[in-house]
Amino acid sequence: MPFKGYVEISVEGCKGCGLCVIHCPTECLALNMSDTNSYSLHYAYLKEPDKCIACQNCSIICPDAAITVYKKIA
Amino acid sequence: MGEIRLMKGNEALGEAAIRAGLQGYFGYPITPQSEVIEYLAKEEPKYDYVLIQAESEVAAVNMMYGAGGAGGRIMTTTSSPGFSLMQEGVSYLVCTEIPCLFANIVRGGPGLGTIQASQGDYFQATKGGGHGDYNMIVLAPNSVQEMADHTFLGFELADKYRSPVLLLSDGSIGQMMEKVELPDPKPYKPNKPWATVGKPKNRERNILTSLYILSDDMEKKNIHLQAKFEKMEKNEVRFEEYRTEDAEIIITAFGLTSRISKKAVDVGRESGIKLGLFRPITLWPFPKKRIEELASKKEVKFFISVEMNAGQMKEDVMLNVYGKKPVYFFGRFGGIIPTPEEILSAIKSHL
Amino acid sequence: MKEGYELIYKRPKTLLDKRMHYCPGCFHSTMHKLLMEVVEELDIQDRTVGICPVGCSVFAYDYMDVDMQEAAHGRAAAVATGIKRMLPDRIVFSYQGDGDLAAIGTAETLHACNRGENFTFIFINNGIYGMTGGQMAPTTLENQKTSTSPYGRNSATAGMPMKMAEIVATFEKVYYVERVSCNTPANTRKARKAIKKSFEYQMQSRGTSFIEVASNCPSGWKCTPIESLDWIKDQVLPYYPLGVLKDLGKEEVK
């Protein structure tokens, strides 16, 4: 049974490269195509929080260290 | 009284560096200065300095940059073509304000040139052979004794101003043996809070860079450097005079030619020509004011600059004589050392 | 922080809280992050000194909260040598691109390796001169188009792309060589491990560690960050295979 997880993505720290999105095994991340940060970039966000398994794939691949990862306390 | 030895100029330089607390030497063999690295290699087991025979002068100067940035008392020595290769590094060292000592044991050029003594690198040393607006203190020893003394002084000035210092010597002084009284060893206690040694929790990180991408910042850096150069010009001018009190003709000469010219002064005086010698010890900062004073003396008829090059220092003499008196030139170059007789006959041709 | 959850990953404190100037998806950023994660994990901030090169990572010292020196183009290995020899107990890394390490600085690189200088090379190989606008590098792939090889790199005149990791692995005193990438989470984890291992080897005075990063340059390659990962997988890694090329530490354990 995978962990239940939760991520915070810094809106201003994200450059919208999308590397986290394509490497999320549960496809819970997405780029927010309806909003941009102050750099006019579509930032990534946790679109489907229920699916996050705290695998840290997104945080390790994120070039800009914009992702913080939490795990549900068992 | 210090220890007295009979040594080559290059060896005296090496020994003095050790006594001044040398912590790192990075060099590449080139005639006529290879005795420095050979001497330091021989003495290495007795001390704890770092010695690296680098793969090139380019690498050597950049090892200096790293080791000096890490706070070491460091030095390199080379000869003309090698010093040309180091010029980029000199520019970086000046801008990042890393103290270090260079010695250029000059040989005849241009190009691969000759291995004989020359003073052909005066412009490169004093006008900046690297890129950008910079100066460095240039000491011009004229004896084996001064090779040792100026090494000590050079290290001290480098630390005082956080800047590279250059010893501009030549192949003859490097190679010849003379009696030298060695300075007593002095323990070196560096105080370099700017050095990149690892950042403790309680200070900001230290960064040594010469990159100022915004032109405003680059200008500010330049203003800071210029202020430092101004201080050097104010405090560090050194020169020597010989029989100038009543001289009618002033020979200007530095390094080896100043010794030969001294002889010419004595011989000339014996035959009734009132000669005097003015010898800049610091080629930069140049003793501008004193030359100006000498040029204003009524009895002084003309100057003659005696050099082992095509008249490079003559330009600085002229700039400060400022048209008040004629400035002539006599020189041999390509590795040839002028004789006192040649100098005298050159002087007589202007009488 | 959400109630009932515990923190398992956050940005390392040793990476300054600044937006890096690198393009979106650039592995320079990833490598800066990994380096600073390892510095934090090993608690060596107070004895780490880095050297940045000339190239895109010329401003690396703006982001990493450790003492750093900016080297002239190509000379980082000589600078690292100077620092490490003066301060043998410090952890020293030279951070260099392919133009820096494999073109203008080849002599310094090879001789530092030959002497077995006890520092870590972080070699970012993205096959292009990124900062100056995408010119051909010594590592540019055969037939790859760049602004100075507009019809593709012609190996008849420009030679073949240089495999620096393979070259330096031949030096006896080079202790550890690995080629890594940051194109997948698994590979990025390996890259992090490689950095950590090299720093530990430094602490044990083992000699030179050389970590080549099969890196990307979305802007120079004129593609999106995601497309750059495809290029790495399909074009770069077949020529520059990932993995440990040399690990004398492992051999000693055997």
Side-chain angles (χ1 to χ4, degrees):
Chain A
M1 178 76 184
F3 293 109
K4 176 82 183 76
Y6 171 73
V7 300
E8 278 171 1
I9 303 176
S10 159
V11 171
E12 290 300 304
C14 176
K15 290 179 185 162
C17 68
L19 299 194
C20 58
V21 175
I22 64 161
H23 286 106
C24 175
T26 63
E27 298 180 2
C28 64
L29 302 175
L31 291 184
N32 187 343
M33 300 311 286
S34 58
D35 192 20
T36 57
N37 62 17
S38 67
Y39 301 94
S40 303
L41 295 166
H42 296 294
Y43 53 88
Y45 75 114
L46 182 58
K47 192 180 175 191
E48 300 189 49
D50 290 345
K51 286 188 180 173
C52 177
I53 56 168
C55 70
Q56 300 181 61
N57 271 8
C58 56
S59 62
I60 186 86
I61 199 119
C62 175
D64 290 282
I67 305 179
T68 312
V69 186
Y70 301 94
K71 189 172 83 173
K72 189 162 189 174
I73 298 163
Chain B
M1 180 126 156
E3 188 189 343
I4 291 176
R5 283 199 218 166
L6 179 68
M7 295 181 102
K8 276 190 175 190
N10 286 335
E11 294 168 346
L13 195 168
E15 178 61 30
I18 294 171
R19 287 166 181 248
L22 180 74
Q23 293 174 314
Y25 175 90
F26 310 90
Y28 188 85
I30 182 170
T31 309
Q33 68 76 49
S34 301
E35 291 82 3
V36 183
I37 186 169
E38 286 168 356
Y39 186 86
L40 291 171
K42 185 166 67 72
E43 296 293 309
E44 192 190 3
K46 293 189 224 158
Y47 303 94
D48 60 357
Y49 52 79
V50 170
L51 180 128
I52 302 183
Q53 181 175 329
E55 57 271 30
S56 67
E57 283 89 351
V58 177
V61 73
N62 284 284
M63 287 174 187
M64 283 236 292
Y65 179 86
R73 174 159 269 195
I74 48 154
M75 174 174 87
T76 190
T77 60
T78 185
S79 182
S80 308
F83 196 51
S84 290
L85 279 172
M86 290 182 179
Q87 290 309 308
E88 185 195 30
V90 174
S91 176
Y92 276 66
L93 284 157
V94 172
C95 192
T96 45
E97 304 186 70
I98 294 176
C100 58
L101 185 64
F102 286 91
N104 179 1
I105 313 299
V106 181
R107 60 191 235 182
L112 193 51
T114 169
I115 57 170
Q116 312 299 328
S118 161
Q119 297 178 330
D121 298 356
Y122 178 92
F123 280 155
Q124 185 191 47
T126 59
K127 315 289 173 190
H131 55 284
D133 278 300
Y134 76 84
N135 289 102
M136 60 175 164
I137 296 175
V138 182
L139 299 165
N142 75 356
S143 63
V144 174
Q145 182 63 53
E146 283 191 352
M147 287 289 267
D149 295 345
H150 287 183
T151 300
F152 245 69
L153 175 64
F155 275 125
E156 267 160 36
L157 293 175
D159 275 357
K160 180 175 174 188
Y161 293 99
R162 247 194 95 175
S163 197
V165 170
L166 170 65
L167 247 71
L168 191 78
S169 186
D170 67 66
S172 282
I173 299 167
Q175 294 293 328
M176 73 183 174
M177 292 185 89
E178 284 187 306
K179 183 182 94 168
V180 53
E181 184 184 341
L182 292 163
D184 289 329
K186 206 169 155 188
Y188 179 52
K189 292 195 193 85
N191 173 29
K192 297 174 176 172
W194 47 263
T196 55
V197 295
K199 167 199 139 72
K201 298 262 181 292
N202 58 1
R203 74 151 160 81
E204 285 287 294
R205 68 197 191 288
N206 283 341
I207 295 166
L208 292 172
T209 182
S210 55
L211 174 68
Y212 297 87
I213 201 84
L214 301 173
S215 38
D216 275 351
D217 295 342
M218 191 74 248
E219 189 179 50
K220 259 183 227 149
K221 178 75 200 189
N222 268 288
I223 290 168
H224 164 76
L225 289 175
Q226 289 300 324
K228 190 159 86 170
F229 302 148
E230 222 168 273
K231 245 186 234 164
M232 294 173 183
E233 289 213 72
K234 201 172 145 228
N235 301 329
E236 305 305 338
V237 173
R238 287 168 170 79
F239 57 84
E240 186 190 334
E241 289 181 43
Y242 182 66
R243 303 180 84 165
T244 50
E245 312 80 41
D246 61 341
E248 293 173 358
I249 295 158
I250 309 272
I251 302 175
T252 56
F254 71 95
L256 187 66
T257 47
S258 69
R259 282 177 78 172
I260 302 162
S261 298
K262 208 171 186 178
K263 177 81 180 170
V265 167
D266 289 342
V267 176
R269 287 237 174 204
E270 277 165 26
S271 61
I273 310 170
K274 280 192 171 170
L275 290 171
L277 168 69
F278 182 79
R279 172 205 169 200
I281 295 172
T282 51
L283 303 184
W284 197 95
F286 193 73
K288 295 176 181 173
K289 216 177 118 205
R290 185 58 189 154
I291 296 231
E292 206 183 307
E293 284 165 10
L294 290 171
S296 304
K297 285 172 82 172
K298 233 187 259 163
E299 64 271 27
V300 172
K301 289 183 185 135
F302 66 83
F303 288 76
I304 179 162
S305 197
V306 177
E307 306 173 50
M308 292 186 322
N309 58 40
Q312 297 183 20
M313 188 178 76
K314 180 195 167 202
E315 291 194 7
D316 280 335
V317 176
M318 284 177 82
L319 276 172
N320 296 290
V321 168
Y322 208 66
K324 288 184 197 123
K325 301 284 158 66
V327 180
Y328 302 113
F329 167 71
F330 174 71
R332 296 296 303 266
F333 34 88
I336 297 189
I337 298 168
T339 63
E341 293 72 32
E342 283 177 317
I343 296 169
L344 276 174
S345 80
I347 290 167
K348 283 175 189 160
S349 74
H350 296 293
L351 288 173
Chain C
M1 190 168 148
K2 218 169 156 179
E3 188 129 342
Y5 284 78
E6 61 174 320
L7 177 73
I8 56 171
Y9 176 83
K10 73 171 170 49
R11 181 187 175 94
K13 280 203 191 86
T14 42
L15 188 66
L16 290 158
D17 192 17
K18 259 186 186 174
R19 186 185 171 82
M20 292 188 259
H21 71 282
Y22 303 111
C23 307
C26 176
F27 292 0
H28 270 309
S29 318
T30 323
M31 287 305 293
H32 286 21
K33 176 188 75 170
L34 297 181
L35 273 163
M36 289 304 104
E37 281 182 19
V38 173
V39 166
E40 186 172 70
E41 186 191 334
L42 297 175
D43 194 21
I44 51 170
Q45 185 186 22
D46 60 344
R47 53 197 180 108
T48 300
V49 183
I51 297 104
C52 25
V54 172
C56 279
S57 48
V58 71
F59 292 116
Y61 55 71
D62 275 348
Y63 312 123
M64 303 194 218
D65 194 14
V66 293
D67 282 359
M68 290 192 88
Q69 289 193 38
E70 171 66 52
H73 195 22
R75 315 296 165 224
V79 177
T81 299
I83 298 171
K84 186 74 185 191
R85 293 287 192 105
M86 289 312 294
L87 307 166
D89 61 339
R90 305 306 200 278
I91 309 302
V92 176
F93 67 89
S94 86
Y95 188 102
Q96 301 174 258
D98 37 12
D100 196 82
L101 180 141
I104 195 166
T106 319
E108 284 77 6
T109 305
L110 298 189
H111 281 275
C113 288
N114 188 45
R115 291 189 302 264
E117 296 293 345
N118 186 31
F119 65 82
T120 300
F121 282 95
I122 304 290
F123 171 40
I124 308 294
N125 173 7
N126 60 9
I128 207 162
Y129 283 78
M131 187 188 229
T132 44
Q135 293 82 12
M136 181 173 68
T139 45
T140 297
L141 295 173
E142 210 181 0
N143 301 319
Q144 186 180 343
K145 286 180 180 166
T146 71
S147 68
T148 50
S149 60
Y151 311 108
R153 178 184 183 135
N154 178 358
S155 61
T157 52
M160 288 296 284
M162 285 170 78
K163 296 185 171 183
M164 291 308 293
E166 282 80 353
I167 292 169
V168 303
T170 63
F171 289 104
E172 262 179 53
K173 283 172 169 281
V174 171
Y175 196 76
Y176 168 54
V177 183
E178 181 165 355
R179 187 179 286 117
V180 299
S181 187
C182 304
N183 64 330
T184 66
N187 284 341
T188 312
R189 288 188 177 99
K190 282 185 195 157
R192 190 185 190 283
K193 264 188 205 149
I195 296 168
K196 191 177 163 193
K197 193 197 274 188
S198 78
F199 284 6
E200 285 167 345
Y201 281 157
Q202 264 197 64
M203 293 176 202
Q204 301 159 10
S205 301
R206 300 286 184 170
T208 311
S209 292
F210 190 94
I211 301 172
E212 177 170 337
V213 185
S215 193
N216 64 349
C217 183
S219 298
W221 295 353
K222 314 217 183 307
C223 62
T224 66
I226 290 169
E227 285 164 356
S228 80
L229 303 192
D230 295 336
W231 176 270
I232 288 180
K233 186 163 131 279
D234 301 335
Q235 308 291 333
V236 176
L237 297 189
Y239 188 82
Y240 293 115
L242 301 184
V244 177
L245 285 102
K246 187 179 193 180
D247 185 352
L248 295 181
K250 217 170 179 182
E251 282 165 27
E252 274 171 26
V253 172
K254 272 182 198 167

